[in-house]
Amino acid sequence: MALVGFSAVAAITLLLCVMTGPDRDDLAEFYTGYSSLSPMRNGLAIAGDYISAATVLGTGGVIALFGFDGVVLALSTALSLLLLMFLMAEPLRNAGRFTMGDVLARQTPGRGVRITACAVTIAALLPMMLVQLAGTGQLMSFLLGFSGETLRTGCVIGVGGMMISYAAIGGMKGTALIQILKIVMLLGSGAVVTVLLLYRFHWNPGALFDAAARNSGAGQAFLHPGLEYAAGPRPGLDMLSSQLAVVLGGACLPHVTMRMYTAAGARQVRRSMSWAVSLVALFVLVVIVVGFGATALVGRETVAATDAAGNSAYLLGSRAAFGTDVTMVETVLFTTVGTAMFLTLLASVAGMILACANSLAHDVFAQRARALSPRREMTLARLSAVAVGIPAIALATLVQHRSLQPLATLSFCLGASALCPALVYSLFWRRYTRTGLLCTLIGGSLAVFALLPGTSLVSGTPVAAFPDADFAWFPFTTTALVSVPAGFLAGWLGTLASGRRRTEEQRRRYEAGEAELLAGVVRSAG
């Protein structure tokens, strides 16, 4: 039944992409879908892009293995989208057109800015794509019951090929419909599992948490902060660093921010984000209950034995919710949960490939002295999806046997350390210069790449990417506590180094741009 469900989802989603993809050479249709989605549908698509398979499986795993620390991680995920909603959603919508490069180059134009923005976009999203694609083989083997390495690799290649097709054929509107279908299935199946779990514990969340603590092997420490970071030298600061990476990085990843450009105006983006935040908050409640349910009914040792990082906890908790006497209806429901996870993998990678392809085509190839025709730029965008997707598939087949947590951490840290400072300065600091922007993007990225190999996620622990080696020297599991201030500091120093005349010129340009933005807001509100 799982195989039938997967095949049906693959066929339906591919058909949706073909039917809703751009039927003529129009850049606005390919990049933004003509901003034709209603606020509710756009909010569903934003929530779908934001909730990736890494969020579902990874967060559920942390909750099942470490209890309270996982709850904090889940709440930080929702807080990140709130940050995007209240601080940057409207400015992004008014300043951007198609890509992150459009926003950053608004007041500091130049091809170098766009190329650097494209490079950071790909660097931030490629590791997350590898996590999703490599997780495909694990998910399929868990649900279908096979263990052969060749079959796992075949699943990665097959799903990767489908993702390239979705991005190249469907464009923004096609991938948006897949995201909508994904979030509806994910929340619907998750709500059913949540109700069943609470019913098993007589509608008493306290009884669920107590049972999870008893089966965790950690006692009441499971319900208190610090269990995940207890082995580190600075548990409190380590936890703060991790939450900083999730809150700032999740809000600024390019496949999420590109959804701001699909809203028709400032009012629409506000309403879209209201829908998205509500849906993500609802899913946070679902994943908390399912994560604790997995530990309460299956046990922490079983979760860790199935997958050291706990990525199978969401599915184990869902299966346990149906009990031992499984009827045909419950089998169908669990198949729906597995199909929703499969669709989550499909939709997440498709959105990331589209964001990278759009940036390559629009920020690199189209920004030349000789302007490209819309038809040629669209062709380049489709070819860029292939150029990004094929290396991602190849790399995913190589890393699927290692811990994927460092790759997910790399994406969030790059978003928090390079993209977040660049966006904040570009949108809100009138003296910010081109030199400052380049220093922010490059400096923040270099800080992450320099520090992350020294964390315990890469070596020094049994669950690290290289468990047999030990070259860990950095005291935290994420780099955000150091690399985020480094990104902001690099931008500030780069702007100061530009000189007073350049900063005054940039201030005048910023004020002129603000006047244009205000006029655009008034027009969109009217």
Side-chain angles (χ1 to χ4, degrees), residues 12-44:
I12 291 171
T13 50
L14 189 58
L15 181 62
L16 283 175
C17 279
V18 173
M19 293 177 62
T20 59
D23 54 2
R24 56 186 180 275
D25 300 321
D26 192 308
L27 293 178
E29 186 178 10
F30 184 82
Y31 286 135
T32 68
Y34 273 143
S35 303
S36 59
L37 294 177
S38 66
M40 184 184 74
R41 287 189 294 168
N42 199 34
L44 287 166

Side-chain angles (χ1 to χ4, degrees), residues 256-524:
V256 177
T257 59
M258 75 175 182
R259 289 287 169 193
M260 304 302 107
Y261 318 135
T262 62
R267 183 170 179 265
Q268 284 75 12
V269 79
R270 288 195 299 270
R271 293 175 61 192
S272 298
M273 289 302 299
S274 297
W275 277 100
V277 169
S278 301
L279 293 167
V280 170
L282 179 60
F283 183 76
V284 164
L285 296 178
V286 168
V287 78
I288 288 173
V289 172
V290 176
F292 274 103
T295 306
L297 298 178
V298 179
R300 185 185 180 199
E301 290 186 3
T302 303
V303 173
T306 306
D307 185 280
N311 289 331
S312 60
Y314 189 88
L315 294 170
L316 289 172
S318 300
R319 178 186 287 174
F322 300 114
T324 55
D325 298 327
V326 181
T327 65
M328 185 64 182
V329 174
E330 291 169 335
T331 301
V332 171
L333 288 174
F334 181 71
T335 301
T336 304
V337 173
T339 305
M341 289 306 310
F342 179 67
L343 183 57
T344 300
L345 288 166
L346 297 180
S348 299
V349 181
M352 294 173 192
I353 289 179
L354 183 64
C356 293
N358 289 355
S359 186
L360 266 176
H362 186 67
D363 293 328
V364 178
F365 298 125
Q367 302 300 320
R368 301 187 301 179
R370 183 179 178 182
L372 295 177
S373 65
R375 180 174 184 176
R376 185 169 178 79
E377 185 171 339
M378 278 188 61
T379 301
L380 286 172
R382 290 185 166 114
L383 292 175
S384 297
V386 178
V388 172
I390 290 178
I393 295 170
L395 290 172
T397 60
L398 296 177
V399 303
Q400 62 178 327
H401 308 299
R402 297 190 178 275
S403 172
L404 302 176
Q405 193 174 356
L407 293 174
T409 301
L410 175 61
S411 288
F412 282 107
C413 287
L414 284 174
S417 306
L419 295 175
C420 180
L423 285 174
V424 170
Y425 280 152
S426 296
L427 295 173
F428 304 110
W429 189 18
R430 65 182 59 191
R431 297 179 182 273
Y432 196 42
T433 63
R434 180 175 178 272
T435 302
L437 174 59
L438 293 175
C439 288
T440 303
L441 292 174
I442 297 173
S445 300
L446 289 179
V448 173
F449 284 120
L451 297 175
L452 191 63
T455 65
S456 58
L457 295 179
V458 178
S459 69
T461 62
V463 295
F466 300 96
D468 298 328
D470 188 1
F471 44 84
W473 58 269
F474 193 65
F476 309 127
T477 52
T478 63
T479 69
L481 203 62
V482 175
S483 58
V484 170
F488 278 101
L489 180 62
W492 180 68
L493 292 176
T495 299
L496 291 184
S498 301
R500 185 177 183 84
R501 188 181 68 177
R502 182 65 60 85
T503 55
E504 286 299 320
E505 176 186 342
Q506 185 57 45
R507 181 184 62 81
R508 290 191 296 269
R509 184 180 294 170
Y510 180 92
E511 291 173 349
E514 285 298 297
E516 293 179 5
L517 283 182
L518 182 60
V521 171
V522 172
R523 286 195 298 270
S524 64

Side-chain angles (χ1 to χ4, degrees), residues 27-93:
L27 293 178
E29 186 178 10
F30 184 82
Y31 286 135
T32 68
Y34 273 143
S35 303
S36 59
L37 294 177
S38 66
M40 184 184 74
R41 287 189 294 168
N42 199 34
L44 287 166
I46 293 170
D49 253 324
Y50 188 73
I51 298 176
S52 65
T55 303
V56 180
L57 301 178
T59 305
V62 175
I63 292 172
L65 295 178
F66 302 108
F68 184 87
D69 291 343
V71 174
V72 174
L73 176 62
L75 295 176
S76 298
T77 302
L79 179 61
S80 177
L81 201 60
L82 276 172
L83 175 69
L84 176 61
M85 174 182 177
F86 288 112
L87 184 63
M88 290 188 292
E90 286 188 46
L92 276 171
R93 163 62 186 82

Side-chain angles (χ1 to χ4, degrees), residues 232-243:
R234 302 283 190 277
L237 291 177
D238 198 1
M239 187 174 185
L240 176 62
S241 181
S242 298
Q243 307 319 314

